[in-house]
Amino acid sequence: MTSAPRRVDVHHHIVPPFYRDLLAKAGIAEAGGRELPDWSPESALETMDLLGTATAIVSVSTPGTGFLTDPRGALELARSLNEFSASLAADHPGRFGYFATLPMPDATASVAEAVRALDELGADGVTLLANNQGTYLGAGGQDRLWQALNERGAVVFVHPADLPAPAVENVPPFAADFLLDTTRAAYLLVRNGIVTRYPNIRFTLSHAGGFVPYASHRMAVAIASDTGRSPRDILDDLRGFYFDTALSSSPAALPTLLAFARPGHVLFGSDWPFAPTAAGQYFANGLDTGVDPGTLTAVDRTNAEALFPRLGVAPVPAPAPSPAARLRQSAQRAGARLFFRLVQPGAR
């Protein structure tokens, strides 16, 4: 893994102190079965430099604003999170962008906040959880939001949430349920015609789309049987999503993703800090060693530059690390590469 920052990380989370405090007051200490991680701008930049990330497009993970039952409170929290994210990007030019938080499932309030964030605060897109209090993306009553996002050619970052059902003992939601949650949302967005009626929206699916690439033909047959559409057209809709590599650039998953996605539709993602730094290094090594140089450059940066054109204009270089920091990062990268090689099937 090169030490020169080049990557654009489209799956990178923040946990602002005031948000953590609100979650704690609601009795929430974890998300997806993982304890809420520590976060600060300084620790984010340190991890970005280690992974070779020039710019992170940050977002708020589940539960977003969905833990609040008062719609007014949810809207106020979304506004505060978006103002915090805008300030973070302004304080660190070139290092951070952000996906705006919306107070779903309140579609009306979400339209207003999406317009404010995209038109006034300079958001790079919006985050939408795959389901919000049990209501999935692609369900009825969301057309005003899709219309507003379509008019702006918005990027929509689809992130999973806890399934609207009890978790299974010894199966943490982040390990399996999250993949199903994203897949359900993608299925409905295609099945209910959202991606065809609103073609200017660029949907980005977390974690390589969950099960979408692997099960795409199975889903296409089911949707075709249900709607009368051509399976080929449905597969084309499924391939039209963008996909990030967070926790997914393994020797098993990465070839399937690259074989399925349209050219230019695979983006680098780390899932930090919910995925610890060691996990970020592991999967970044999977990308570094698993594809040809041209594909690596595209996934690392140029695909993101096409999606977010501002990133291709006079990028701001990261400050040079101190000699001690360079030595520490070099040792960490060497250790991560060795570990990655040792755990591969057939390794000796």
Side-chain angles (χ1 to χ4, degrees):
M1 189 188 309
T2 179
S3 60
R6 68 188 190 281
R7 289 181 157 128
V8 177
D9 186 350
V10 302
H11 192 146
H12 189 110
H13 295 302
I14 58 172
V15 189
F18 69 89
Y19 180 61
R20 179 189 293 275
D21 290 344
L22 283 174
L23 291 173
K25 288 180 182 178
I28 300 172
E30 57 84 32
R34 293 192 65 89
E35 182 180 354
L36 290 175
D38 293 329
W39 177 87
S40 69
E42 294 74 23
S43 60
L45 289 167
E46 182 179 352
T47 300
M48 289 163 61
D49 291 343
L50 178 64
L51 297 182
T53 298
T55 304
I57 311 297
V58 303
S59 56
V60 173
S61 185
T62 183
T65 67
F67 67 99
L68 297 174
T69 57
D70 173 32
R72 176 73 179 179
L75 175 57
E76 290 175 354
L77 176 56
R79 292 174 66 91
S80 295
L81 288 168
N82 294 335
E83 287 160 8
F84 178 92
S85 300
S87 295
L88 177 69
D91 291 343
H92 302 276
R95 300 308 308 272
F96 294 110
Y98 77 101
F99 292 119
T101 299
L102 302 185
M104 290 289 279
D106 187 336
T108 299
S110 293
V111 169
E113 186 56 16
V115 169
R116 186 179 84 101
L118 294 168
D119 293 0
E120 300 176 23
L121 298 182
D124 291 290
V126 303
T127 302
L128 290 175
L129 297 181
N131 89 84
N132 297 269
Q133 300 175 15
T135 299
Y136 274 88
L137 301 182
Q142 300 168 357
D143 285 298
R144 285 189 58 204
L145 176 60
W146 302 134
Q147 182 63 43
L149 296 174
N150 190 69
E151 289 171 355
R152 289 161 177 79
V155 178
V156 173
F157 176 58
V158 179
H159 192 279
D162 288 344
L163 294 176
V168 176
E169 186 177 4
N170 295 324
V171 181
F174 79 89
D177 295 354
F178 272 16
L179 304 177
L180 174 59
D181 202 49
T182 300
T183 303
R184 285 177 169 181
Y187 188 101
L188 288 174
L189 288 169
V190 171
R191 188 265 178 216
N192 293 343
I194 305 304
V195 297
T196 54
R197 294 206 306 274
Y198 303 100
N200 295 331
I201 300 175
R202 280 79 55 81
F203 289 98
T204 299
L205 304 181
S206 298
H207 310 120
F211 305 136
V212 170
Y214 187 78
S216 55
H217 287 253
R218 179 174 181 155
M219 293 191 292
V221 169
I223 294 173
S225 176
D226 192 24
T227 64
R229 294 183 61 206
S230 160
R232 186 168 185 159
D233 290 343
I234 294 163
L235 281 167
D236 194 50
D237 286 347
L238 291 169
R239 294 182 66 237
F241 288 115
Y242 288 79
F243 304 84
D244 74 49
T245 65
L247 300 176
S248 303
S249 48
S250 70
L254 187 58
T256 301
L257 174 61
L258 292 172
F260 175 73
R262 286 182 187 170
H265 280 225
V266 179
L267 312 163
F268 177 77
S270 72
D271 210 347
W272 189 87
F274 285 91
T277 301
Q281 288 183 280
Y282 179 87
F283 286 101
N285 273 305
L287 182 60
D288 286 338
T289 60
V291 299
D292 63 84
T295 300
L296 180 62
T297 298
V299 174
D300 275 349
R301 184 162 193 96
T302 55
N303 292 347
E305 287 179 339
L307 199 58
F308 308 102
R310 72 172 184 83
L311 298 177
V313 180
V316 178
S322 67
R326 285 200 301 271
L327 183 62
R328 184 175 66 253
Q329 290 174 0
S330 178
Q332 288 175 298
R333 293 186 184 108
R337 287 194 295 269
L338 176 61
F339 178 76
F340 182 81
R341 289 196 296 270
L342 289 175
V343 300
Q344 299 314 310
R348 294 290 187 268

